[in-house]
Amino acid sequence: MNIWLTTALSAVGGLVVLWLAALAVLAIVRPRAGLLTEAIRLLPDLLRLISRLARDRALPRGVRIRLWLLLGYLALPIDLVPDFIPVLGYADDAIVVAVVLRSVVRVAGPQALERHWPGTGDGLAAVRRLAGRSH
């Protein structure tokens, strides 16, 4: 078999395995359905929050890089999970946002969310729940 064909097939196979692993992770860590609905409703404020956090030089570089990558992912027209897949298809962006916000809160603390939240107090409470911090 041609070396280029073998390499291409290996790369495609590796990408499929990574995609399936990402699907499994998303299915495992997905938040409750009510939180997904809140995340979608709060999307404009969430986008402003993520942008503000990404520009905050007081946060660790790794956190800011994660946030910039999240903004890039959200801007892409291609989803990690195609929209025709029930439940996860439309919720993948909200799930990815929740996972990244949880990691940000673990590293930077919930105060970072509070400092940069552009919305209402009720919206902040929903974001805290989404990020895994209800207090």
Side-chain angles (χ1 to χ4, degrees), residues 82-114:
D83 289 339
F84 64 83
I85 295 177
V87 181
L88 285 178
Y90 289 107
D92 65 327
D93 290 344
I95 293 167
V96 171
V97 167
V99 170
V100 172
L101 284 179
R102 286 178 185 191
S103 75
V104 167
V105 168
R106 268 196 309 273
V107 174
Q111 303 82 9
L113 296 179
E114 294 163 8

Side-chain angles (χ1 to χ4, degrees), residues 7-111:
T7 303
L9 289 175
S10 297
V12 168
L15 289 173
V16 168
V17 168
L18 286 174
W19 181 76
L20 289 173
L23 275 178
V25 167
L26 288 174
I28 291 168
V29 301
R30 74 175 177 190
R32 294 184 315 270
L35 289 180
L36 292 176
T37 303
E38 285 179 308
I40 292 168
R41 183 177 49 85
L42 295 170
L43 189 59
D45 287 335
L46 277 171
L47 290 173
R48 283 194 298 273
L49 171 69
I50 293 165
S51 176
R52 290 175 179 182
L53 287 167
R55 292 184 310 231
D56 184 352
R57 295 222 177 249
L59 297 179
R61 177 180 286 181
V63 168
R64 292 191 328 257
I65 289 171
R66 248 177 275 156
L67 291 163
W68 282 112
L69 290 172
L70 174 61
L71 285 170
Y73 170 76
L74 293 173
L76 287 175
I78 300 170
D79 285 341
L80 184 61
V81 181
D83 289 339
F84 64 83
I85 295 177
V87 181
L88 285 178
Y90 289 107
D92 65 327
D93 290 344
I95 293 167
V96 171
V97 167
V99 170
V100 172
L101 284 179
R102 286 178 185 191
S103 75
V104 167
V105 168
R106 268 196 309 273
V107 174
Q111 303 82 9

Side-chain angles (χ1 to χ4, degrees), residues 109-120:
Q111 303 82 9
L113 296 179
E114 294 163 8
R115 276 195 320 268
H116 294 288
W117 179 247
T120 66

